[in-house]
Each structure stands twice: as structure tokens, then as C-alpha cells.
Amino acid sequence: MTDRPSYYITTPIYYVNDVPHIGHAYTTLACDVLARFKRLDGFDVMFLTGTDEHGQKVEKSAEKAGVDPQAFCDRVSERFRDLAKAMNFSNDQFIRTTEDRHKKAVQHLWKELVAKGYIYEDKYAGWYSVRDEAFYGEAELIDGPDGAKVAPTGAPVEWVEEPSFFFKLSAFEDKLLELYDTQEDFVLPKSRLNEVRSFVKGGLEDLSISRTTFSWGVPVPDVPGHIMYVWIDALTNYLTAIGYPDTDSETYEKYWPANVHMVGKDILRFHAVYWPAFLMAADLPVPQRVFAHGWWTNEGQKISKSLGNVIDPFALIESHGLDPVRFFLLREVPFGNDGDFSERAFLIRCNADLSNNFGNLAQRSLSMIFKNCDGTVPTPGAFSDADKAILAAVEGLLPVVRGHMDRQAFNLALDAIWGVVGEANVYIANEAPWTLKKTDPERMGTVLYVTAECVRQLAILIQPFMPMAMEKMLDQMAVEGRGFDTLGEAGRLKPGAAIAQPQGVFPRFEVPAGEGAA
Ligand code: MSP
């Protein structure tokens, strides 16, 4: 057991009906950046991702592919693990709902809900959308383009009538409303909490949680013919991974309740209404936060297989390199809002912020040190007010960035960091070490030392976003300690230490002609 504070962060588990696209990469990226940040900040982190392999949608996709569902799941799930490698995700576990440990956990939870009197048998007659794997009330349906009723998401619905077990969701209305009122920031962004609250206030009906018309799912314990509704199965993955049903296990004790469930806005209701209700019913603590992020469109259009405009993360990494992709996805759009992916915006943003701004700062200062100080960190003289001011700006960043990260405001964290990158560029331009080289070499050494110190600390802070590029940069400077405890004076560059020949770590992209500054 460590005495470091724990931090448990989860991604949604991805349906294996389809290969991964940029939307999936985005959700996990946000979690990866947060997990890396927390590790560097001294936390004992558990970062979980995985695949959601049961349900009608997956069964149908397997059928269409002419493969047995398990073989189909094995194949597609592998692509998600490949994506985790390609995106340099640092997940501690990859869970699959077809694993035995998971079936055990979800069957145990089911029995708990039965024992506590929250499950009863009846018959379901209503609308179901396979694409959303969701039940809809008549009043929620809207008119589709061809006049047929569709789900509010636009997904087709079908009428379903079958014997089913129900969960007494209606018993949790007041408890959920109290949760939303008393647990600070249970749902972020705030506007999304209002949506959830008004959904619950509108009245909750009991939830159908078993199906009998197909078989690809976890069997309901002791009742042949019923399999569990894919969402009760899927949500329980967050418990399985940390040892449930063994609530005395070290991992369960350490990591539950989770700090953040990261989800897309489309699946907020499942996480902020159904999931806490299941947990309360089983007398288990509810997670601390559900963050609902927005959706990406592609050059203004909804991303969809039928439109043929799915952005393939593997191709993007191949053509532009990984770290620029990681940076852009979190820099461009306030986390929580929808965003549009445009290649031009991507290229312009990366050139401006990475190669021109931060890359230039690092390259200029390190090259000058390499050429003019025998390739070793110069010994600084007394610090001037300007030196002290820029160091103070850099050293004041951690609490600010931490505050933004704790609210999943990645773009604000990057804004704050890049604000200081800009100040450091102004500092070096004002101090002009290239002029001091002739007039005052000692002062040049001090300015280069201060600039390199800024680069070191900025690189340490930027590691969660662009781990590979920052590793290269910090390697060039022979920086040893890289945790946030080495920020400030604790990890100052040692005068006389050798640095490697500096090489740019950010590519410069050609921007094709078009509207907007390139
Ligand atoms: N299997 C369920 C989640 C179960 S969690 C217990 C599921 N899977 S999914 O594969 O359909 O979606 C996973 C995540 O990808 C969702 O959070 C969804 O919002 C996200 N995205 C899918 N397309 C997206 C975009 N175009 N943009 C951003 N994220 C999107 O739902």
C-alpha cells in the first residue's frame, strides 16, 4: 500500500461493432492526459479503458460479418488495443466485458439488486433502438426524414414486446435529485447537469434490464432465457476492473468511488442517472464525477460511416505524427463543447503553437547554449528583475494548470501554459542573448540559463499532453527528475551539465493555400 492519494479515471468501454475512429481516440486521450498529469503530480492512478462486447448491436454486426460473436469481438477489440498503442495511451488495464471476471461481477451485482428488492419480473412493450442500445418512451420519439418515428438521436427504433426483468428506477428520483444538489460538480460541464436534472424531474419509469429475444449477453443468474440489458452489463465494468465483488480487495478499497467517468454527451444519461441509481440500490458509493464531452464533426459534417467521412486516427498519426494530433484535439476546442476537425486548422494551429512558439523557444536557447557554452549548462550570475519575473511566471503555473485539469478544462490548462511560453519568447527577445554574446558574455550565460530553466519546466508541465516530444526535449537537456516535484528550485538545471546537440521536436507543416492566415 502506498500513502499517495489515489485517482481512478475511466473511459467508456467501446462497442466492438465498428473499428475505432477519432471520437473514440478523443475520449481516451482526455483520460490519458489526466492520468499522466495526476501521476506526475504524485497520485497513485488507475486508468481504465476497454471494450463493450455484448448486446444486439454487436451480435448483428458479427452476423453481418459472418463470424461467431466471440471471434468477431476478439478481432475488433484488438483494434482498440492497437489504437491505445498508437496513441501512446497509458491505461493500466484494458477490460473486455466477455471476460469471466466481468461476468462474475455483473451477476453478483444483479443478485445484490434482487436481494435488496429492486428487481421484479414483468413484460416490456415499447420502443427500442439497437443503434443506441436504448429504450425510448413514445413521447421522446421524433419524426424521421421519411415520416417514420425515430429516436431523439435520429436512430431507427423498433417495437419490442418481451418478458423482462425491471429495475425500480422510479424509486430513485428523489435520491438522484439530492445527489445532483449536494455533490459538488457531480456532472460537468454545469449545463449538462441541468439537462440531467430536468430529465429526472420529468419523472423516471422503471427500467427494463433483461432481454429474451437474442442471446449475446451475460445470462441473468438462475433464470434461463434472459440475458442482461447491455448497459447494466457495461456500466459494471468500472467495478469489475478494481476487484468487485471483492469489496475488501486492496484495489477496490483504494480506487472506489472513481474520481472521473469520462463520457461523450450522448451517453450521459446512462452514467448520471442509471449508474448512480444501480449503485445506490446496491449500497455502493457513487462516483465523484461524470464529465460529458462534446462531439467532433469533420469539416462541418457529422462523422458517420454512411457519409464516408470517418476520421481514421491511425492514418492521421501516420501522416502528421502523434503528438501534434494529441495536442490539437485538446487545444482547439473547449473541452465539453462540440468541435469541428479541419485539416487546415490543424496544420495552422500546430505550426503556430508548436514549431513557431514553443519549439522556437527551446531550439533557440538550447542551440545557443550548445554553440556558445561548450555544450554545457552555463553558470548564471545574479538574477535581474526580468529573470526573476519570467521564472516566477513559469513557477506560478502548476497551481493554475492543476485547477484547470481538476475541472477537465484541458484547453484552459494549455492556454495558461502557452501564455507563459509567449512571455518567455518576449523575455528572450528583449534580453537578446545573441547581442550579449559580444557585449556581455557573462550576462548571456545568465539569460540562457534562465531561458533553459523555463524550457525545462514548461516541458515537464506539457508531458501529459505530448509525452514523446517532451521526453526528447528533456533528454536533450539531460534532465533527470521529471515529476512535478522537480518544478521550481527543486530541480534546477545544474551548471556545467552537458546537453545533447539540440534537435527540433516539432514538425513544420506545409499549409495548403486557402482562407485564413497560414
Ligand atoms: N459502449 C457504450 C459505452 C459504455 S460505457 C459503460 C458506447 N460505446 S461507443 O463506442 O458507441 O462510444 C464510446 C464513446 O465514443 C462515447 O463517449 C461517444 O461519445 C464517443 N464518440 C463517438 N463518436 C464521437 C465523435 N464524433 N466525437 C467525439 N466523441 C464521440 O457508447
Side-chain angles (χ1 to χ4, degrees):
M1 269 290 218
T2 68
D3 48 12
R4 287 177 297 154
S6 62
Y7 195 83
Y8 182 24
I9 176 156
T10 68
T11 74
I13 47 173
Y14 301 101
Y15 285 129
V16 289
N17 62 311
D18 197 5
V19 293
H21 65 63
I22 198 76
H24 308 126
Y26 183 54
T27 315
T28 313
L29 170 64
C31 295
D32 182 60
V33 169
L34 203 47
R36 287 175 183 273
F37 186 91
K38 286 288 167 187
R39 287 191 200 107
L40 291 165
D41 209 12
F43 285 73
D44 174 346
V45 173
M46 167 68 82
F47 165 24
L48 175 70
T49 188
T51 41
D52 187 354
E53 307 192 358
H54 290 129
Q56 218 168 348
K57 178 150 85 169
V58 171
E59 191 183 70
K60 284 193 170 175
S61 300
E63 232 170 68
K64 211 165 130 198
V67 217
D68 144 78
Q70 187 62 56
F72 180 77
C73 290
D74 291 347
R75 191 171 79 197
V76 184
S77 173
E78 185 67 38
R79 279 308 271 168
F80 281 91
R81 268 165 290 163
D82 293 343
L83 178 71
K85 266 185 233 132
M87 293 286 299
N88 199 5
F89 291 151
S90 62
N91 52 296
D92 298 287
Q93 276 196 54
F94 187 98
I95 193 168
R96 302 182 54 188
T97 52
T98 48
E99 288 174 57
D100 279 343
R101 62 170 175 159
H102 177 68
K103 291 180 195 160
K104 243 189 253 160
V106 64
Q107 287 185 330
H108 184 89
L109 180 68
W110 182 283
K111 286 186 184 159
E112 286 286 295
L113 299 180
V114 171
K116 300 206 190 285
Y118 287 111
I119 290 184
Y120 62 92
E121 193 170 0
D122 202 344
K123 195 173 152 216
Y124 180 77
W127 296 101
Y128 191 77
S129 159
V130 176
R131 195 168 92 190
D132 297 349
E133 293 284 19
F135 300 96
Y136 289 107
E138 183 83 37
E140 285 182 284
L141 302 184
I142 56 170
D143 291 326
D146 57 2
K149 291 278 179 204
V150 293
T153 55
V157 288
E158 60 193 53
W159 184 258
V160 170
E161 272 189 41
E162 57 184 334
S164 176
F165 284 95
F166 281 77
F167 171 71
K168 285 190 189 163
L169 185 63
S170 56
F172 290 88
E173 245 172 70
D174 291 343
K175 288 192 187 106
L176 287 168
L177 290 172
E178 190 189 325
L179 168 69
Y180 307 149
D181 287 342
T182 53
Q183 190 166 312
E184 206 187 332
D185 297 331
F186 174 64
V187 171
L188 279 182
K190 277 233 176 323
S191 55
R192 298 266 172 223
L193 176 63
N194 298 337
E195 263 171 40
V196 170
R197 192 186 274 122
S198 49
F199 172 72
V200 173
K201 273 196 176 146
L204 293 176
E205 283 179 23
D206 290 348
L207 183 70
S208 164
I209 50 165
S210 76
R211 307 286 317 267
T212 49
T213 44
F214 65 99
S215 61
W216 186 237
V218 180
V220 168
D222 313 320
V223 192
H226 283 259
I227 55 158
M228 292 185 203
Y229 173 39
V230 66
W231 272 100
I232 188 167
D233 166 354
L235 288 160
T236 308
N237 91 87
Y238 303 134
L239 289 175
T240 308
I242 51 165
Y244 184 83
D246 182 2
T247 50
D248 292 328
S249 68
E250 197 187 306
T251 43
Y252 179 90
E253 286 199 342
K254 204 185 321 177
Y255 297 117
W256 196 256
N259 296 74
V260 181
H261 290 318
M262 187 72 77
V263 302
K265 61 181 184 179
D266 53 318
I267 55 172
L268 178 59
R269 185 184 296 183
F270 300 97
H271 284 82
V273 180
Y274 304 162
W275 182 227
F278 295 152
L279 290 167
M280 286 170 178
D283 273 336
L284 296 171
V286 302
Q288 292 180 12
R289 170 160 320 151
V290 179
F291 191 103
H293 67 69
W295 271 47
W296 282 94
T297 49
N298 183 1
E299 312 276 352
Q301 275 195 314
K302 184 175 184 285
I303 297 177
S304 92
K305 238 188 345 186
S306 50
L307 288 173
N309 65 350
V310 170
I311 301 172
D312 174 4
F314 294 101
L316 203 60
I317 297 165
E318 185 67 32
S319 55
H320 299 295
L322 173 60
D323 279 343
V325 172
R326 289 178 58 112
F327 175 76
F328 177 78
L329 290 176
L330 294 178
R331 177 72 181 90
E332 190 69 3
V333 178
F335 200 63
N337 294 7
D338 291 339
D340 184 46
F341 190 92
S342 120
E343 187 176 12
R344 194 175 158 74
F346 169 82
L347 301 174
I348 291 173
R349 168 67 79 182
C350 291
N351 280 352
D353 285 2
L354 300 184
S355 68
N356 294 355
N357 213 335
F358 185 49
N360 211 12
L361 177 74
Q363 193 60 17
R364 275 218 269 197
S365 56
L366 300 183
S367 306
M368 274 202 78
I369 291 180
F370 195 76
K371 278 197 209 123
N372 303 296
C373 312
D374 291 335
T376 59
V377 174
T379 304
F383 288 153
S384 70
D385 286 349
D387 302 342
K388 287 183 196 152
I390 191 64
L391 285 172
V394 173
E395 284 158 20
L397 270 175
L398 179 60
V400 175
V401 172
R402 187 189 280 135
H404 292 314
M405 297 298 279
D406 280 341
R407 297 182 68 76
Q408 290 73 54
F410 302 102
N411 62 307
L412 296 183
L414 288 170
D415 259 359
I417 297 172
W418 255 260
V420 176
V421 169
E423 286 176 42
N425 268 318
V426 171
Y427 165 84
I428 195 170
N430 286 345
E431 299 297 322
W434 38 88
T435 312
L436 293 169
K437 197 164 109 180
K438 291 179 206 109
T439 56
D440 188 350
E442 216 182 297
R443 175 69 193 146
M444 174 197 76
T446 306
V447 170
L448 290 177
Y449 181 87
V450 169
T451 316
E453 249 305 286
C454 294
V455 171
R456 174 186 76 87
Q457 297 192 51
L458 290 164
I460 286 175
L461 275 173
I462 296 168
Q463 290 177 100
F465 296 89
M466 293 183 284
M468 286 198 307
M470 292 309 98
E471 187 181 40
K472 263 195 219 153
M473 196 179 273
L474 290 163
D475 282 351
Q476 290 179 18
M477 301 172 79
V479 171
E480 282 169 16
R482 296 180 186 186
F484 294 160
D485 56 346
T486 63
L487 290 169
E489 287 193 24
R492 284 266 188 270
L493 288 167
K494 291 192 188 61
I499 67 161
Q501 170 137 33
Q503 271 164 6
V505 301
F506 300 118
R508 235 203 106 70
F509 299 113
E510 279 300 314
V511 183
E515 278 171 38

